[in-house]
Amino acid sequence: MPSAEAQKGSPLTLVLMVASAAIGGTLQYGYNLAIMNAPTIFIQTFVNETFLERWDIQLEDYQVTLVWTIIVSIFSLGGLIGALIAGPMTIRFGRKKCLLLNNIFLMAGALLAVTSRAAKSFEMIIISRVLVGINAGISMNVQPMYFGESAPKHLRGAISLSSAVFTAFGVVLGQVVGLREILGSEPCWQYLLASNAIPGFIQLVTLPWFPESPRYLLIDRGDKEACIKALRRLRGCDVQNCELDEILQEQAETRGMRPSRPWELFADRSVRWQLITVMIISSAMQLCGNDSIYFYASYVFKEAGVAADKIQYITVGTGTCEFTACIMCNLLIERLGRRLMLMGGFILMTIWAVVFTISLWFESSVSWMSYLSMACIFTYILSFGMGPAGVTGVLPTEIFNQTARPAAYMIAGSMMWINLFITGMLFPFLVRELSEFCFVPFAAVCLLSALYVGLFLPETKGKSLSAITSEFHRLNFKGQEEKCGSQAQYRLAEVRLSTDL
């Protein structure tokens, strides 16, 4: 248990809480994306040898590719399962305890991965990837919720965006650990797949020392004293009345309401455009093709003309680009706002995808085009990190109230994982069939996403939930502004009266 001195808190407490939650949370998503690139050939050989030893069958190249694609993409199906169970888990156990329990899936997956080679079972790798995917699916939903509910309003975007920073850091870490000189060699690939247990263990040791989400404690549990204690520890000073009043107002607005179920959000007109927004942006985050570069980096850089023995070092650069861009986005998001960074990121990705296609088209006739192709990949990833990578995870926290938020994250997470599975399965075949035009579909997705953000997404920077909700009401109840306004005023009067009482 924390000491009395620790309970007083300090500003450092919030920073350490973010690091502890993220190192075993969204870092795992980026890490488990990246570590699958290095052992590609070794695991494919292992699969082929297993079929030959068991059934005396020599697999064709396309069959090996298919099994490998299943191993890689099954991670997304695990993530979908995790996204679907994350909502009920956060309601029952709370945000912090949910993250701690989530490590059960991780440790079980790591155990299967490290013993798969000795057991001569590629099926154990598939099951391991499902379990690790469940872990990532839960953490990708719960961690931004935990951060958004724990951060002060003026830092809400930056703190929530740290989820994306740690995801990018996980990518870089996975790429570095996957180098041949470390664990990316033939004798060590099973240890590489199981190395994700180390960040999980760090979280298990450190996270219990930090407080639960203040909003969860007050709104879901009705424990005002515990909420105030958590706020004091996270802020390092006396709790400001305005911050506590905002939480109390949200509690009053949701009093007597049970947490929403996902299907109920689809029938609720008052959150129609909020739901459309998170579904479109979460889908675009994967359909833009950025994460496919990490899944199949060797395919992409081979198409760009990079020598095979240099690819592993180039891929580390891609992760470093996204990590750098996410840090820049973290510093700028409270200055530039969510809408501008999200729209700008998609527009830049569209431009670089077009330039990349042109460079691939002329690569055979112009010698320096291969360098332009590589530059386009890096700028594409930089643009992704500056906008969609970070802002997407912030939106559900800012545009849904406490009762709808878990269900909203379930829907957003489901869309993200379904589309990651689709792109993961199709991308190698897109590269094979479309060749230099493989990024044209991604360019179309980015352009359409930028248009949607520019036309329909209101700015949420520094605004209270009630102010953001009123802006969405103009879309949800278009043509009924006057009626909606009178209802909102009546509801606000009820909230003020109940708060005074």
Side-chain angles (χ1 to χ4, degrees):
M1 293 295 293
S3 63
E5 182 69 23
Q7 289 181 3
K8 294 179 182 179
S10 71
L12 185 61
T13 303
L14 180 62
V15 176
L16 294 176
M17 181 272 284
V18 167
S20 176
I23 200 169
T26 53
L27 180 142
Q28 291 285 3
Y29 171 68
Y31 189 81
N32 286 290
L33 280 179
I35 60 174
M36 292 307 293
N37 187 60
T40 299
I41 297 175
F42 308 134
I43 296 179
Q44 288 178 346
T45 303
F46 174 67
V47 169
N48 212 348
E49 290 174 349
T50 302
F51 269 87
L52 191 61
E53 184 175 336
R54 285 188 194 171
W55 302 294
D56 196 27
I57 296 175
Q58 180 69 49
L59 296 178
E60 300 290 339
D61 288 345
Y62 79 92
Q63 293 173 318
V64 175
T65 302
L66 179 61
V67 175
W68 169 246
T69 304
I70 292 172
I71 291 174
V72 172
S73 299
I74 204 74
F75 174 73
S76 308
L77 291 184
L80 175 60
I81 296 171
L84 292 174
I85 66 176
M89 284 182 68
T90 55
I91 294 168
R92 180 170 182 178
F93 301 111
R95 287 37 166 168
K96 185 182 82 169
K97 190 177 291 186
C98 182
L99 288 172
L100 291 170
L101 292 173
N102 190 27
N103 286 287
I104 295 173
F105 300 106
L106 178 69
M107 297 302 176
L111 181 62
L112 286 172
V114 78
T115 55
S116 61
R117 188 170 189 171
K120 298 182 179 180
S121 172
F122 67 88
E123 297 89 347
M124 291 173 67
I125 300 177
I126 295 176
I127 298 172
S128 169
R129 291 288 290 174
V130 172
L131 292 172
V132 171
I134 293 174
N135 171 270
I138 292 173
S139 64
M140 289 290 285
N141 279 15
V142 178
Q143 185 182 305
M145 201 185 311
Y146 184 32
F147 289 174
E149 294 176 1
S150 301
K153 186 165 62 177
H154 67 286
L155 293 176
R156 189 174 57 203
I159 295 296
S160 297
L161 191 63
S162 63
S163 297
V165 174
F166 275 90
T167 299
F169 177 63
V171 169
V172 177
L173 186 62
Q175 290 169 337
V176 171
V177 174
L179 291 173
R180 283 190 295 269
E181 293 81 357
I182 305 179
L183 291 180
S185 59
E186 196 279 333
C188 298
W189 61 261
Q190 70 273 24
Y191 303 114
L192 174 63
L193 298 187
S195 60
N196 50 27
I198 297 174
F201 178 75
I202 294 173
Q203 184 185 78
L204 284 172
V205 172
T206 58
L207 190 58
W209 296 92
F210 297 101
E212 178 57 271
S213 155
R215 287 181 179 271
Y216 173 80
L217 291 171
L218 180 57
I219 299 173
D220 291 77
R221 290 292 180 86
D223 193 340
K224 184 176 179 180
E225 184 179 350
C227 171
I228 293 173
K229 286 182 179 178
L231 285 171
R232 283 175 178 166
R233 288 197 62 205
L234 293 170
R235 305 293 180 265
C237 58
D238 290 335
V239 181
Q240 295 183 5
N241 289 332
C242 59
E243 184 172 9
L244 187 59
D245 288 345
E246 184 183 335
I247 302 176
L248 286 169
Q249 179 180 341
E250 187 174 347
Q251 182 194 36
E253 290 173 345
T254 58
R255 182 174 288 128
M257 298 171 60
R258 60 171 176 76
S260 300
R261 296 179 174 89
W263 54 88
E264 293 173 341
L265 294 187
F266 287 98
D268 187 353
R269 184 173 180 179
S270 66
V271 296
R272 178 177 298 173
W273 280 95
Q274 292 95 314
L275 192 60
I276 292 172
T277 297
V278 297
M279 289 178 67
I280 289 177
I281 302 303
S282 297
S283 298
M285 183 178 175
Q286 300 302 339
L287 293 178
C288 71
N290 184 80
D291 286 343
S292 297
I293 293 175
Y294 299 126
F295 269 154
Y296 303 105
S298 57
Y299 287 93
V300 175
F301 288 115
K302 183 178 179 181
E303 194 69 30
V306 180
D309 59 334
K310 304 295 183 184
I311 287 177
Q312 66 165 347
Y313 304 106
I314 299 293
T315 54
V316 175
T318 62
T320 304
C321 273
E322 185 173 338
F323 181 49
T324 304
C326 284
I327 292 176
M328 293 172 62
C329 183
N330 194 284
L331 297 173
L332 295 174
I333 190 170
E334 294 299 347
R335 179 177 297 180
L336 300 180
R338 286 63 158 155
R339 186 168 174 267
L340 178 61
M341 299 200 73
L342 194 58
M343 184 170 60
F346 279 126
I347 290 173
L348 287 173
M349 291 170 73
T350 304
I351 294 171
W352 298 126
V354 171
V355 176
F356 182 51
T357 302
I358 295 172
S359 66
L360 290 176
W361 176 260
F362 289 102
E363 193 172 87
S364 58
S365 56
V366 182
S367 60
W368 52 267
M369 278 294 177
S370 61
Y371 299 104
L372 179 59
S373 299
M374 283 191 292
C376 286
I377 291 175
F378 284 108
T379 51
Y380 193 85
I381 293 172
L382 277 169
S383 303
F384 176 78
M386 285 295 293
V391 180
T392 303
V394 178
L395 287 178
T397 298
E398 296 191 327
I399 65 179
F400 287 94
N401 65 24
Q402 192 80 5
T403 58
R405 197 171 292 134
Y409 267 106
M410 288 172 65
I411 294 170
S414 298
M415 297 306 299
M416 187 191 79
W417 288 103
I418 289 171
N419 287 290
L420 178 61
F421 176 75
I422 291 171
T423 53
M425 288 294 293
L426 294 181
F427 190 73
F429 301 101
L430 281 176
V431 173
R432 181 180 299 174
E433 298 299 326
L434 298 181
S435 188
E436 62 268 16
F437 299 105
C438 61
F439 263 68
V440 170
F442 302 138
V445 169
C446 293
L447 179 59
L448 292 173
S449 301
L451 289 173
Y452 177 84
V453 172
L455 293 173
F456 298 107
L457 180 65
E459 181 54 68
T460 61
K461 180 187 72 171
K463 296 179 181 177
S464 65
L465 179 63
S466 59
I468 296 168
T469 302
S470 67
E471 292 196 43
F472 272 107
H473 268 305
R474 298 171 188 171
L475 293 171
N476 293 325
F477 299 96
K478 194 172 183 179
Q480 303 181 30
E481 290 86 355
E482 185 176 344
K483 179 181 177 182
C484 184
S486 62
Q487 288 176 340
Q489 290 176 359
Y490 177 73
R491 182 62 179 158
L492 182 59
E494 283 187 322
V495 170
R496 288 174 176 170
L497 178 62
S498 62
T499 304
D500 292 339
L501 291 176

